[in-house]
């Protein structure tokens, strides 16, 4: 296996980690409007992801940096062609971080409600747009002989890409609902499990349609295996959720995301960005990659740094592993003076 193939796999792993981790905290952000009934319950939801949401975003930064260094042509075409959608995602992530930090800085109800609304929308919009973006990456876009995107914003809003957006939106919401059931106690836990069932059923229908469409267009035997794993894991996750095995349900919803992303990258390889104008103009792992020396240096750096990052983040989740509920919210925090 050549180094550019290795880095294609590593970038796929980074995106998988990002969608697995950021996926559930996007879902929890969406649930602040769909599940929480009052301010203490919204506080509970925010506290479940409070210690980890910023660490989860590191996976996105690493994926973007790795793409820039390992596949500069891919990075240039992607970020210039998808400039507006990616800018919207970036603005959402900035506002979302500010909302988490500023929500409890003042006790006024309007102040907190506005920041909670910001958390909801800045979780929902990226959850949808990431699916649209990857739908276009896998489905192909208008790239000319100079490897430049020559389409318009409207060209990115294809039925396939929009379906991809709905899949990631519902999948992340389901993942977040299962995570909420795993991390909470009391009535909110039971309601999270009930909501997870309905969202999971919608996700299953949308995901099956999207994955079958992907398989028919660009799939092979390996991607078919990933499709089967994704659908089977989602079904079993729903069953585990119904019988109250939240740990298994969360793990299996994670397997669904892993298999989903794996299928997208398996369907994409050896392309990194197919051209719908001419197959010869597609960006591939070969013509979009950096020099072998650059990839070699990056490989050594990744081999040293990646295990340290994984150990630290795993420790963080272990420290904050306990369940919480409204009884753990101090009266002043419930009234709006939470830290």
């Amino acid at each position: 296996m050549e180094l550019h193939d290795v880095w294609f796999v590593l970038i796929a792993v980074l995106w998988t980690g990002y969608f697995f981790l950021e996926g559930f905290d996007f879902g929890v952000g969406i649930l602040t409007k769909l599940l929480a009934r009052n301010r203490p319950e919204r506080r509970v939801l925010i506290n479940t992801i409070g210690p980890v949401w910023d660490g989860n975003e590191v996976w996105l930064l690493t994926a973007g940096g790795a793409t820039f260094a390992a596949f500069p042509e891919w990075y240039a075409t992607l970020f210039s062609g998808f400039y507006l959608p990616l800018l919207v995602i970036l603005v959402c992530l900035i506002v979302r971080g500010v909302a988490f930090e500023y929500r409890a800085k003042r006790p006024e109800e309007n102040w907190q409600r506005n920041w909670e609304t910001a958390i909801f929308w800045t979780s929902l919009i990226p959850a949808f747009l990431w699916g649209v973006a990857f739908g276009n990456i896998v489905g192909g876009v208008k790239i000319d002989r100079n490897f430049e995107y020559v389409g318009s914003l409207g060209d990115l809003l294809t039925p396939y890409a929009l379906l991809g957006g709905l899949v990631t939106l519902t999948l992340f919401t389901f993942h977040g609902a299962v995570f909420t059931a795993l991390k909470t106690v009391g009535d909110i836990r039971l309601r999270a499990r009930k909501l997870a069932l309905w969202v999971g059923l919608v996700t299953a229908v949308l995901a099956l349609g999207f994955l079958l469409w992907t398989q028919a267009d660009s799939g092979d035997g390996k991607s078919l295996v990933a499709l089967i794993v994704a659908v089977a894991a989602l079904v079993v996750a729903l069953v585990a959720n119904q019988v109250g095995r939240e740990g298994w349900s969360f793990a299996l919803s994670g397997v669904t995301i892993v298999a989903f992303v794996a299928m997208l990258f398996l369907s994409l390889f050896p392309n990194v960005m197919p051209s719908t104008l001419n197959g010869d103009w597609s960006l591939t792992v070969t013509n979009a990659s950096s020099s072998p020396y650059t990839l070699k240096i990056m490989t050594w750096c990744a081999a040293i740094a990646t295990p340290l990052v994984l150990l630290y983040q795993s420790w963080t989740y272990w420290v904050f592993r306990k369940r919480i509920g409204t009884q753990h919210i101090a009266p002043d925090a419930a009234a709006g003076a939470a830290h």
Side-chain angles (χ1 to χ4, degrees), residues 35 63 99 124 133 162 171 183 185 218 260 264 278 285 288 300 317:
L35 181 65
L124 185 149
L162 293 174
L171 180 57
K183 288 287 292 178
V185 294
S218 54
F260 173 78
L264 295 183
N278 188 322
V285 293
W300 279 108
Y317 278 93

Side-chain angles (χ1 to χ4, degrees), residues 150-162:
V150 293
S152 64
L153 177 62
D155 293 325
L156 300 178
L157 304 178
T158 64
Y160 175 76
L162 293 174

Side-chain angles (χ1 to χ4, degrees), residues 82 85 125-138 156-158 160-166 168:
F82 295 10
I125 293 171
F128 175 73
L129 289 181
W130 279 128
V132 174
F134 271 85
N136 279 289
I137 291 173
V138 175
L156 300 178
L157 304 178
T158 64
Y160 175 76
L162 293 174
L163 178 58
L166 292 176
T168 53

Side-chain angles (χ1 to χ4, degrees), residues 28 33 38 40-41 63 105 141 179 181 187 213 254 295 321 335 339:
V28 172
K33 291 291 186 182
N38 49 47
E41 288 192 353
K105 295 299 183 183
V141 291
F179 179 78
D187 183 58
W213 193 341
L295 296 178
R321 66 189 183 278
H339 54 73

Side-chain angles (χ1 to χ4, degrees), residues 35-50:
L35 181 65
R37 292 176 174 174
N38 49 47
R39 295 169 72 183
E41 288 192 353
R42 287 191 290 274
R43 184 71 248 171
V44 168
L45 290 177
I46 293 172
N47 281 357
T48 63
I49 59 175

Side-chain angles (χ1 to χ4, degrees), residues 152-236:
S152 64
L153 177 62
D155 293 325
L156 300 178
L157 304 178
T158 64
Y160 175 76
L162 293 174
L163 178 58
L166 292 176
V167 171
T168 53
L169 174 59
T170 54
L171 180 57
F172 292 168
T173 305
F174 170 70
H175 197 41
V178 173
F179 179 78
T180 299
L182 177 64
K183 288 287 292 178
T184 58
V185 294
D187 183 58
I188 193 170
R189 174 189 177 188
L190 299 177
R191 284 188 281 116
R193 283 168 48 188
K194 184 177 180 180
L195 181 62
L197 171 63
W198 294 108
V199 175
L201 291 173
V202 174
T203 302
V205 173
L206 294 174
L208 182 61
F210 179 77
L211 293 177
L212 288 175
W213 193 341
T214 304
Q215 180 66 24
D217 278 354
S218 54
D220 57 15
K222 294 178 181 178
S223 62
L224 179 60
V225 172
L227 185 158
I228 294 172
V229 171
V231 174
L234 180 56
V235 171
V236 180

